Amino acid sequence: MTSILDQYKQAAQASYRTKPPAEPMISSGYINMQLEDNVPMFTKQKMNLNPSDLITHAAVSSDNLVVAMANGKLFRMDIRNPDSEQEIHYSKYCQPTSKLSGLFLDPLGCHLLMSFSSKTKDGCPELAYIHQKSSKLKFVSKIPNYEITEVGWNFENTSNNMTGPILLGTSKGHLLETELEPNNDKMFIASEQYWRQLPNYLPLCGAKEVEEVIFDIGKGADTPITGIKFHRVAGTKKYCIFVTTPTRIYQFIGHAIFSENKPSLKSVFYPYLTIPETGFQEIPSTLKYSELQYYFDKNEMPKTFAWLTEQGIFYGQLDPTSQQNSNSVVTQGSLVTYPSGPDGKEIPPLSFVLTEFHTLLMYSDRVKVVSLLNQELVHEDIYSEAHGKLKTIIRDLKKRQIWVFTEKKIFRYKIVREERNLWQIYSDKEQFDLAREYCQNNPAFLDIVNMKQADLFFSKGEYERSAEIYAETQRSFETICLKFLEAEQFDALKKYLERRLESLTDDDKTLISMIVIWMTELYLSQLGTLRRTGRGDSSEYHQMQSDFEVFLLHPKVSKTMRHVKSVIYELMSSHGDKQNLLKLTMINEDFENVVSQYVYRKNYLEAINALQNLKRPDLFYQFAPVLMEAAPKHMVNALIAQGARLSPSKLLPAFLSCQNDEAHITEITRYLEFIVVHFNVKDKAIHNYLLTLYAEHDQQALMRYLSRQGQDIALVNYDVHYALRLCREKNASEACVKLSALLGLWEGAVELALRVRLALAKSVAALPDCPHVQRQLWLHIAEHVITKNQDIKEAMSFLEECPLIKIEDILPFFSDVVTIDHFREPICQSLQEYNNQIEETKAEMEEATKAAKYVRDEIHSFRGRSVRVSASSGCCACDLALLLRPFYLFPCGHHFHADCLTAEITPMLGAAKRSKLGDLQRQLSVLSNIELSTATSSGLPLREVLKNEIDDIVANECIYCGEHMISCIDKPFISDEDWDRVMKEWE
């Protein structure tokens, strides 16, 4: 925890914190958006730990903290368990001339190596080991006389009991490979001089044999190793080993040899023995120290590295796939310069740590944080002299925490969203994709990045690319459009308008309408320019026309067209673009304008075809007058093709407006005949108009039409009175005869028919159903013929044609000079017919007399008829003895109990009779004996009256011999509800 005094000091140091330069604000369209996070990116916290003496060395890993102090003691603590503090007096295990030179803790926080140097020239360096669970130092015996300056830990090791293969670097530039494991309180190491390629095993008694490989970096010169890092390429046996000295960084890349699932790294160095002076990069430096750091990603794989040199921090990405044709896994290497000190000079730090995007540089009295991307100082902490000088800065690789150790205090840094300003940095570096990635979906940040990129493309002349990005920004619509207009970049302007149109919602109706109209104007203008310059058939024109058609089919454009189509039509008309105007009307389903355009251009056949394809009856009615006048035959063909979809009565105004010439009359008549014959149209107006055309132009067709309509005035579809008047006006006498007969004007019809021809009059006389009317009409015809011709043979033929006329009926029509001898035969024949009729009447009377006598005899016989019922006779319904209960006996011989017959007959009765039977039975059961014996108006007791009525219903007929049995002949013997039961009984 921090004290009040420390908090005050932190606040006082805030003035030293350097913020990145303010971003010049560009109007983003977002209001009151906070572009910076108020929470500091790097904040330090003083730990509540008080070492017993000044701190000289420190190490932290996996929340295990180790501090070496000037009093020769070692302070250890598990940060997760503050009560686990422990002090170990390590100096009592060392030689008096030994001095602690290095403290190395493995990533798991279990294995600690302590390197000692000699204070005298005659002394021997030492290497001690102490386990997390042990409090006793164990010195590695029989190690060559080298001071260990760096340890390369195995990041794949997961064992708390052994280190796994590790690399050791010495002050002389040698590399040693070893594996450490405590055993029987002893420590061992085996070694081999790799550059000599000679195995030299030095096992201790009872100890596990471990191999050590020696490789000389300095080639004999005293070049201390300041950094060792190695890692395995995921999924392979390839290893990458980085080794640094104060002036060089080496890369060793190769495949390791595995034994018992443990790698031997000596094979990685084989190629570098035969090829000297390779695999390294040199940066001149006068410093006696340097430092190598890795940054691990979330999968605990090294992502970047950094090397501290006098010139700066050499920083780069680690990509194993990049070394396919080279001996380096470093990509995007760069040198990060140090920030200037108070005197304006760049001073190298004493130590540093690496984060994902920053490096923390430790000086003797302060810590500076520098961005790895733009190399700007983003934070600075100045430490009070009361805390002593800064000793080291360490990053816990497992827990991702940063620790700072001064001589007296321990601090821990908290990092909050260090990527917050990356979008600005990448934007300034014109790496806009990365900038958008780190905007973290902040719309204000994204808008600023997009505007920068769009402005860059515009300045480079990449107008269409800039238009696409401008459309994603919130910059003023008018400002961007004006930029493209001033640059005369109409294609880019169309691209911008198109993208803006896609981004708008349905609520932005005004802006959508404006964009649609503007883009239409741009397309029409460009298409018109191409046509005027003779490029109307070029590929450019066809491509632009295709783009325009795609634009018109856009859903938002189609929806907007409903509201602005009149404006668009006027635009197209002003440009004289009839082709696109017609296409647009088709797209908008503005069928009226489609056909209007064809009619306007006098493409009548195209207009008719459009009507047929559209199948809109209202448009047929609208354009029928014009098209019938201009192309009657094709129009009638189209009308016939529509069939019943059209109402013929609505087409009558178009037909009536046509010229009264043969071509038009023929086509109109053809259509009316078609719908009358094929669709049985009964509209009186249609039939009257057809009849009028027949009467005026084809009276033979008129007669055929009248014949088809028949002689039933209730079934004809035309107005008979109108037809009669019309035919009289047109002198269609034969038609007048038919129509007069249809109206029942028989005498007038016969009179008119006699003027036409005799056969027609005879056919009319045969039409009436009434014999009396027929006789009168035939007499009229006979009188006309006989009076006119006095032809006896012709008069005799009338007697044969009409049996209703007798010889005595026509005799008055002859003159007095005609003798009776001429009619002898017809008179005799008439008398004979009368005689035959008298005989037939006598025979019928005799038959009636016999039938009456038979009926009287039958009635008399029924009065004395009786039926014998034995005591063993049973009911035909229930088979029980008939005499047990009241019963009914039918003449057919069937007999039923009264209640059985009632039960059988009730379901067969209608609803009314069933209800009446129930009422009678209730009355009979409810009335008392006194009421039942009361006489009714008929003189019979009420009981007898009720029983007689019940008998009339129940015993009206035998249920086995009456009509009911006949009506049930198709009824199955077994009902559906009883079928399953009966079938089970039969199984």
Side-chain angles (χ1 to χ4, degrees), residues 969-980:
I969 192 170
D970 59 344
K971 183 178 180 181
F973 291 108
I974 304 174
S975 62
D976 293 339
E977 55 269 16
D978 295 335
W979 177 263
D980 294 336

Side-chain angles (χ1 to χ4, degrees), residues 143-161:
I143 185 172
N145 189 20
Y146 301 127
E147 177 188 350
I148 301 301
T149 57
E150 185 62 27
V151 176
W153 294 106
N154 188 344
F155 291 100
E156 290 185 317
N157 179 47
T158 58
S159 173
N160 294 336
N161 297 323

Side-chain angles (χ1 to χ4, degrees), residues 489-502:
Q489 297 297 322
F490 301 109
D491 289 335
L493 177 59
K494 284 194 303 184
K495 179 70 70 175
Y496 171 72
L497 294 175
E498 180 183 353
R499 291 300 177 90
R500 280 302 302 267
L501 180 64
E502 292 176 356

Side-chain angles (χ1 to χ4, degrees), residues 615-662:
K615 297 179 182 180
R616 284 275 303 276
D618 56 324
L619 296 181
F620 273 95
Y621 306 142
Q622 181 178 350
F623 293 97
V626 178
L627 297 177
M628 277 298 300
E629 185 68 33
K633 183 176 181 179
H634 294 89
M635 185 59 181
V636 168
N637 290 338
L639 296 177
I640 290 174
Q642 295 301 307
R645 284 191 289 269
L646 297 178
S647 173
S649 60
K650 295 182 179 181
L651 294 170
L652 285 180
F655 296 153
L656 293 171
S657 65
C658 292
Q659 295 181 7
N660 197 15
D661 57 10
E662 183 179 355

Side-chain angles (χ1 to χ4, degrees), residues 795-829:
M796 293 303 103
S797 67
F798 275 108
L799 298 178
E800 295 176 359
E801 290 179 9
C802 184
L804 298 176
I805 301 177
K806 305 299 180 183
I807 185 61
E808 60 269 25
D809 295 326
I810 64 173
L811 286 178
F813 301 145
F814 287 94
S815 62
D816 294 338
V817 297
V818 179
T819 62
I820 198 172
D821 293 337
H822 295 87
F823 304 102
R824 181 180 300 167
E825 185 177 352
I827 292 173
C828 292
Q829 185 178 357

